[in-house]
Amino acid sequence: MKVLLATSKPFASQAVGEMKQMIESAGYQFEKLENYADRTQLLVAVKEANALIIRSDIIDREVMEAAPGLKVVVRAGAGYDNVDLEAATLRSICVMNTPGQNANSVAELVFGMLIYLQRNRFDGSVGREISHKRLGLYAFGNVAKMVARIARGFSMTVNAYSPILTPDDLRKEGEYGVVPLSSNKELFENSDIVSLHMPLLEETRNCVNYDLLSLMPCDGVLINSARKELVVEEDLIRIMEERPYFQYITDIMPERHEEFLARFPKRYFSTPKKSGAQTSDANVNAGLAAASQIVAFFRDGDERFRVNNKS
Ligand code: 3PG
């Protein structure tokens, strides 16, 4: 069995070393294609792969067709919008993710970016504190839970709305101490800072629009550590034009990055490259989870973290 680690954004070398060791001690071959710049390199590298470990790398029909022996793809991370699930199902390929493994890393970045912008990039001018502000979590998965936990340390009030959980479900997650809300409107209306934590699905694409954003306070802050496609960029630009104190903080550079930068140089911040999961800790957690899921898949047929339908 050949396991290929194919990541255009490489893992920490410690993570790669530990993954290699785990795969090889299970008796499989480990190969890597890291830091590739050209998709044709990926198409060549997958040729003999039976298993793939990836990050945000696009795994579509073309890649699957180039890998006739492919049986399993593990997205070392949470979001799998980069994998064509239907194409995988058609070819009897199992697709899995590693939920929760990089959640704390993303959550810490949320606060890093938030404080950085509230303190005006540490330029010495008068900034704002986050303590006692109302933080709204849009969705309540693994990252949102970590954000809620950290927010309590800052004495923030944490509101949460989930499109898939009821307020009663949220109430049962008592350890996170969130105030459960029953609609996204209520969330935006009652939060000074809204942090997005939903996956990119057809139902969530473009879900943050003008109507929702206009419910926030005039000096509201929107944080996006999830996916750029969740936000209607032109609506956000309109809100920021209308509200001279509104801020946008993102770990996923928007399509209209240059425009945001030119129009709102002090109220807009984007990381130059998505950095949420880019810590050695998260790399080790997600990488080893991916490696062990592949071993369990081949050895025991374990498909516990499968995200696509079976054919
Ligand atoms: C995820 O979905 O797990 C995060 O967005 C991290 O993505 P990355 O592995 O491409 O950094």
Side-chain angles (χ1 to χ4, degrees), residues 9 55-56 75-79 102 106 225-227 274 277:
K9 179 165 62 179
R55 293 184 66 173
S56 291
R75 195 286 191 232
N102 57 23
V106 179
S225 60
R227 292 293 182 268
K274 189 162 73 149

Side-chain angles (χ1 to χ4, degrees), residues 17 78 103 145 206 286:
K145 286 176 181 166
N206 292 331

